[in-house]
Amino acid sequence: MKTSLSRRDLGRLLGASAVASTATSSFALENAPSVSPMGRRSEGFPDRFLWGSATASYQVEGSVNDAGRGPSIWDTFSHTPGKVANHDTGDVADDFFRRYRDDVQLMNGLGIQAFRFSVAWPRVFPTGGGMPNPQGLDFYLRLVEELHAHGIEPFCTLYHWDMPQALQDRGGWESRDTAYRLAEYAGYVAGKLSAVGVKHFFTMNEIRTFVELGYGNGTHAPGLKVGRKRLAQLNHHALLGHGLSVQSIRAHAVGDVQVGVAENPIAPVPVTPSGDDIAAARTAMREENASYLTAILEGVYTDRYLAGLGVDAPHFTAEEMRIISTPLDVLGLNFYTSTYVRASHSPASYETLALPADFPHMASSWLTVSPECVHWGPRLVHECWRPKAIYITENGCSADDGLNANGECLDTGRIMYLRNCLSQLEHALAHGAPVQGYFVWSLLDNFEWADGYGKRFGIVHVDFKTQKRTPKLSARFYQKVIEGNGKNL
Ligand code: PNW
């Protein structure tokens, strides 16, 4: 479905609520703005709201030995027996490296307006630094060209966990030097991709996850359990890598670009809507994310965080904290679950509530069904730090998806999850959170890290034996939501 005028251009001309290119007879009705009894348009998604889908390099690309790519820590980890369920590896994954054109077509058919992908560092710098590998970069140039040809806005993440193994061999995030290597790589890639029109860059994805799972409990690459003091120090190096990369991206980018980080803050939800519980959730937002978002957006480690660590607190300088808190243009937030909080008389002034054993969850046991995170997460981030712009860079769920006798995947559980999350997002918008877009995780079923291919997050089913793509019912749901700009939830 090629059109000479891209969907985004159309959106600009017509207003995004009229973007749907495949108009049906019920189109006008479906898209009529909802009007409140007072005669004003009710809360909802702004006209230029961007609807996207997200993936990450190691989870979808495959072709790990092609076009000069070097090994990453996830190649090493997934090939180490016992680390990933079912001995799965990302060697082939979704074969996206070779099938990206078909997958862009697929997105286009669903009306998806933006695509968040990540660049594999070891494709571009096979050993982490030195001379770039032009064949590696070329893949991303071709991907961006294909996206633009279909009017889909590219959003680029530089570090979604696939560190070159050569850098891990020199200490990975335990080495302060890695922060500088990331910034060099990020600047180089941002220079090249901004020259072909990429306008949005995220330095890193989920610092919390790669720090805590990669080095804390060892369930993700590089599979270490370093203890509290070393963890706090490498966490600091990762933050430094983010800040240096923001500066490096800006220094090398051509034209105006929007730079940020995609982080997954703990989303404290006030368990009751009392003023006390809401205030407690606000405090929890800062403290529970003290060594991640709070440090990045405030340039300080909170007193409580440092006191809690005592002699294990990281070494840092005022200059490093200034770099870490380099102002951002955009903030990416990944939300899957909530943490319920209430006011308490403890020194912290809040209490996080353990979930009962029967609390509902999706196919991944950690993925509780608590869509309030998409309301309170952006809302409290907005109240605490007033970021200029927010994108929900990931939201979605795993489900036990199979194809029925008719070859359909009727993933009503995922539709329930997404509809509830998107409804909650409307509350965040109504409270002034400047959310400009939403990326469903994920476009495709893919390599779900330590869970291998056993946990499916896609709105498109992938048969990993044949690479056949089958849009699930949730893809149809998302397509209709996009057509109605979320006013039809
Ligand atoms: C995120 N947990 O990771 C990542 O950004 C994606 O790459 C991933 O596929 C997606 O969420 C779904 O898991 C997480 O155990 C992985 O709490 C694990 C957890 C959270 C996020």
Side-chain angles (χ1 to χ4, degrees), residues 70-77 122 126 163-170:
S72 80
I73 57 173
W74 270 96
D75 297 289
T76 309
F77 188 77
M163 175 178 290
Q165 181 61 42
L167 290 182
Q168 189 62 46
D169 296 342
R170 287 188 262 146

Side-chain angles (χ1 to χ4, degrees), residues 5-21 27 31-33 41 45-51 113 481-487:
L5 201 59
S6 78
R7 216 181 6 257
R8 293 301 295 160
D9 295 337
L10 266 178
R12 282 183 197 110
L13 287 174
L14 304 176
S17 62
V19 165
S21 47
F27 174 74
N31 287 276
R41 219 181 62 188
F45 295 88
D47 283 347
R48 306 257 317 248
F49 196 81
L50 206 55
W51 298 94
Q113 301 162 348
V481 170
I482 296 172
E483 281 183 19
N485 197 34
K487 295 188 171 71

Side-chain angles (χ1 to χ4, degrees), residues 19-35:
V19 165
S21 47
T22 49
T24 63
S25 54
S26 59
F27 174 74
L29 245 187
E30 283 179 3
N31 287 276
S34 41
V35 175

